[in-house]
Short mmCIF file of all heavy atoms in Angstrom, two decimals:
data_model
loop_
_atom_site.label_atom_id
_atom_site.label_comp_id
_atom_site.label_asym_id
_atom_site.label_seq_id
_atom_site.Cartn_x
_atom_site.Cartn_y
_atom_site.Cartn_z
N ARG M 419 14.72 25.19 -9.77
CA ARG M 419 15.50 26.32 -10.27
C ARG M 419 16.98 26.16 -9.87
O ARG M 419 17.88 26.35 -10.67
CB ARG M 419 14.93 27.63 -9.71
CG ARG M 419 15.37 28.86 -10.46
CD ARG M 419 14.65 30.09 -9.98
NE ARG M 419 14.76 30.30 -8.54
CZ ARG M 419 15.87 30.71 -7.93
NH1 ARG M 419 16.95 30.98 -8.62
NH2 ARG M 419 15.88 30.88 -6.63
N VAL M 420 17.19 25.80 -8.63
CA VAL M 420 18.56 25.62 -8.15
C VAL M 420 19.27 24.53 -8.96
O VAL M 420 20.41 24.72 -9.41
CB VAL M 420 18.57 25.25 -6.65
CG1 VAL M 420 19.97 24.90 -6.19
CG2 VAL M 420 17.99 26.38 -5.83
N ARG M 422 18.52 23.44 -11.91
CA ARG M 422 18.71 23.85 -13.30
C ARG M 422 19.93 24.74 -13.43
O ARG M 422 20.75 24.58 -14.32
CB ARG M 422 17.45 24.54 -13.84
CG ARG M 422 17.30 24.37 -15.35
CD ARG M 422 15.99 24.96 -15.85
NE ARG M 422 14.83 24.52 -15.10
CZ ARG M 422 14.02 25.34 -14.41
NH1 ARG M 422 14.26 26.64 -14.39
NH2 ARG M 422 12.99 24.86 -13.76
N SER M 423 20.05 25.67 -12.50
CA SER M 423 21.19 26.59 -12.62
C SER M 423 22.50 25.83 -12.42
O SER M 423 23.52 26.14 -13.02
CB SER M 423 21.06 27.75 -11.62
OG SER M 423 21.44 27.30 -10.35
N LEU M 424 22.43 24.80 -11.61
CA LEU M 424 23.62 23.99 -11.39
C LEU M 424 24.02 23.25 -12.67
O LEU M 424 25.20 23.16 -13.01
CB LEU M 424 23.30 22.97 -10.29
CG LEU M 424 24.46 22.25 -9.63
CD1 LEU M 424 25.33 23.24 -8.90
CD2 LEU M 424 23.91 21.23 -8.65
N VAL M 425 23.02 22.74 -13.35
CA VAL M 425 23.29 21.95 -14.55
C VAL M 425 23.63 22.85 -15.73
O VAL M 425 24.60 22.62 -16.45
CB VAL M 425 22.08 21.05 -14.91
CG1 VAL M 425 22.31 20.36 -16.24
CG2 VAL M 425 21.86 20.03 -13.81
N ASP M 426 22.81 23.90 -15.91
CA ASP M 426 22.95 24.73 -17.10
C ASP M 426 24.13 25.67 -17.03
O ASP M 426 24.83 25.90 -18.00
CB ASP M 426 21.69 25.59 -17.30
CG ASP M 426 20.50 24.71 -17.64
OD1 ASP M 426 20.73 23.53 -17.93
OD2 ASP M 426 19.36 25.21 -17.59
N ASP M 427 24.31 26.23 -15.85
CA ASP M 427 25.20 27.36 -15.73
C ASP M 427 26.61 26.90 -15.38
O ASP M 427 26.92 26.64 -14.23
CB ASP M 427 24.64 28.28 -14.63
CG ASP M 427 25.30 29.63 -14.73
OD1 ASP M 427 26.18 29.78 -15.59
OD2 ASP M 427 24.94 30.51 -13.95
N ASP M 428 27.42 26.80 -16.38
CA ASP M 428 28.76 26.29 -16.13
C ASP M 428 29.80 27.38 -15.97
O ASP M 428 30.98 27.15 -16.09
CB ASP M 428 29.17 25.34 -17.28
CG ASP M 428 28.89 23.90 -16.91
OD1 ASP M 428 28.95 23.61 -15.70
OD2 ASP M 428 28.61 23.09 -17.81
N ARG M 429 29.29 28.60 -15.69
CA ARG M 429 30.26 29.70 -15.56
C ARG M 429 31.19 29.43 -14.39
O ARG M 429 30.77 28.90 -13.37
CB ARG M 429 29.53 31.02 -15.35
CG ARG M 429 28.86 31.55 -16.60
CD ARG M 429 28.04 32.74 -16.24
NE ARG M 429 27.22 32.44 -15.06
CZ ARG M 429 26.65 33.35 -14.29
NH1 ARG M 429 26.83 34.63 -14.54
NH2 ARG M 429 25.92 33.01 -13.27
N ASP M 430 32.41 29.88 -14.54
CA ASP M 430 33.42 29.58 -13.52
C ASP M 430 33.11 30.20 -12.16
O ASP M 430 33.36 29.61 -11.12
CB ASP M 430 34.80 30.08 -13.98
CG ASP M 430 35.47 29.00 -14.80
OD1 ASP M 430 34.85 27.93 -14.96
OD2 ASP M 430 36.59 29.23 -15.29
N ASP M 431 32.56 31.44 -12.20
CA ASP M 431 32.33 32.09 -10.90
C ASP M 431 31.28 31.36 -10.08
O ASP M 431 31.19 31.52 -8.87
CB ASP M 431 31.93 33.57 -11.09
CG ASP M 431 30.71 33.69 -12.00
OD1 ASP M 431 30.41 32.71 -12.70
OD2 ASP M 431 30.08 34.76 -11.99
N ASN M 432 30.48 30.54 -10.77
CA ASN M 432 29.45 29.82 -10.04
C ASN M 432 29.96 28.48 -9.51
O ASN M 432 29.51 27.99 -8.49
CB ASN M 432 28.26 29.57 -10.97
CG ASN M 432 26.96 29.57 -10.18
OD1 ASN M 432 26.96 29.93 -9.01
ND2 ASN M 432 25.90 29.16 -10.83
N LEU M 433 30.87 27.91 -10.23
CA LEU M 433 31.32 26.58 -9.87
C LEU M 433 32.84 26.57 -9.71
O LEU M 433 33.53 25.69 -10.18
CB LEU M 433 30.92 25.58 -10.95
CG LEU M 433 29.43 25.38 -11.13
CD1 LEU M 433 29.17 24.53 -12.35
CD2 LEU M 433 28.83 24.73 -9.91
N ASN M 434 33.32 27.56 -9.03
CA ASN M 434 34.75 27.72 -8.96
C ASN M 434 35.37 26.85 -7.88
O ASN M 434 35.24 27.13 -6.69
CB ASN M 434 35.06 29.20 -8.69
CG ASN M 434 36.54 29.45 -8.74
OD1 ASN M 434 37.32 28.52 -8.87
ND2 ASN M 434 36.91 30.70 -8.63
N PHE M 435 36.00 25.80 -8.35
CA PHE M 435 36.67 24.94 -7.38
C PHE M 435 38.15 25.23 -7.31
O PHE M 435 38.82 24.83 -6.38
CB PHE M 435 36.44 23.47 -7.71
CG PHE M 435 35.07 23.05 -7.35
CD1 PHE M 435 34.07 23.03 -8.28
CD2 PHE M 435 34.78 22.74 -6.04
CE1 PHE M 435 32.79 22.67 -7.93
CE2 PHE M 435 33.50 22.39 -5.67
CZ PHE M 435 32.50 22.36 -6.63
N GLY M 436 38.63 25.93 -8.35
CA GLY M 436 40.04 26.22 -8.39
C GLY M 436 40.49 26.97 -7.15
O GLY M 436 41.53 26.70 -6.57
N SER M 437 39.68 27.87 -6.71
CA SER M 437 40.07 28.73 -5.58
C SER M 437 39.87 28.04 -4.23
O SER M 437 40.31 28.55 -3.22
CB SER M 437 39.23 30.00 -5.60
OG SER M 437 37.89 29.63 -5.30
N GLY M 440 35.28 27.72 -3.44
CA GLY M 440 34.10 27.39 -4.24
C GLY M 440 32.93 26.83 -3.44
O GLY M 440 32.86 27.00 -2.23
N LEU M 441 32.04 26.25 -4.13
CA LEU M 441 30.86 25.65 -3.53
C LEU M 441 29.93 26.67 -2.93
O LEU M 441 28.95 26.34 -2.30
CB LEU M 441 31.26 24.68 -2.41
CG LEU M 441 31.53 23.27 -2.85
CD1 LEU M 441 31.76 22.39 -1.63
CD2 LEU M 441 30.36 22.73 -3.63
N ASN M 442 30.30 27.91 -3.10
CA ASN M 442 29.46 28.92 -2.49
C ASN M 442 28.38 29.33 -3.48
O ASN M 442 28.02 30.48 -3.57
CB ASN M 442 30.32 30.12 -2.10
CG ASN M 442 29.55 31.01 -1.16
OD1 ASN M 442 28.50 30.62 -0.68
ND2 ASN M 442 30.08 32.20 -0.94
N LEU M 443 27.92 28.37 -4.22
CA LEU M 443 26.96 28.70 -5.26
C LEU M 443 25.57 28.76 -4.68
O LEU M 443 25.38 28.87 -3.49
CB LEU M 443 27.05 27.65 -6.37
CG LEU M 443 27.28 26.25 -5.84
CD1 LEU M 443 26.23 25.33 -6.35
CD2 LEU M 443 28.66 25.81 -6.25
N GLU M 444 24.62 28.64 -5.54
CA GLU M 444 23.24 28.81 -5.10
C GLU M 444 22.82 27.78 -4.08
O GLU M 444 21.82 27.95 -3.41
CB GLU M 444 22.32 28.71 -6.32
CG GLU M 444 22.39 29.93 -7.19
CD GLU M 444 21.03 30.18 -7.81
OE1 GLU M 444 20.03 30.06 -7.08
OE2 GLU M 444 20.99 30.47 -9.00
N GLN M 447 21.76 28.65 -0.73
CA GLN M 447 20.48 29.34 -0.52
C GLN M 447 19.34 28.35 -0.31
O GLN M 447 18.23 28.74 -0.01
CB GLN M 447 20.12 30.18 -1.75
CG GLN M 447 21.10 31.28 -2.02
CD GLN M 447 20.80 31.91 -3.36
OE1 GLN M 447 19.69 31.86 -3.84
NE2 GLN M 447 21.81 32.52 -3.95
N LEU M 519 30.92 16.92 -7.55
CA LEU M 519 30.04 17.83 -8.27
C LEU M 519 29.91 17.46 -9.74
O LEU M 519 28.82 17.56 -10.32
CB LEU M 519 30.51 19.28 -8.11
CG LEU M 519 29.40 20.28 -8.41
CD1 LEU M 519 28.25 20.16 -7.42
CD2 LEU M 519 29.93 21.70 -8.41
N LYS M 523 26.35 16.60 -11.44
CA LYS M 523 25.83 17.30 -12.62
C LYS M 523 25.51 16.32 -13.75
O LYS M 523 24.50 16.45 -14.44
CB LYS M 523 26.85 18.35 -13.10
CG LYS M 523 26.85 19.56 -12.20
CD LYS M 523 27.98 20.50 -12.48
CE LYS M 523 27.85 21.13 -13.85
NZ LYS M 523 28.91 22.16 -14.04
N LYS M 527 21.72 15.86 -15.19
CA LYS M 527 21.48 16.07 -16.62
C LYS M 527 20.81 14.84 -17.23
O LYS M 527 19.82 14.92 -17.93
CB LYS M 527 22.82 16.34 -17.32
CG LYS M 527 22.75 17.48 -18.33
CD LYS M 527 24.11 17.76 -18.93
CE LYS M 527 24.75 18.98 -18.28
NZ LYS M 527 26.12 19.24 -18.72
#
Side-chain angles (χ1 to χ4, degrees):
R419 197 173 54 73
V420 173
R422 208 175 310 118
S423 79
L424 196 63
V425 174
D426 293 347
D427 196 357
D428 264 331
R429 286 173 312 162
D430 273 359
D431 55 343
N432 212 10
L433 296 172
N434 186 354
F435 285 96
S437 68
L441 272 186
N442 195 11
L443 38 125
E444 286 214 43
Q447 297 171 25
L519 200 64
K523 285 170 66 174
K527 223 176 259 174

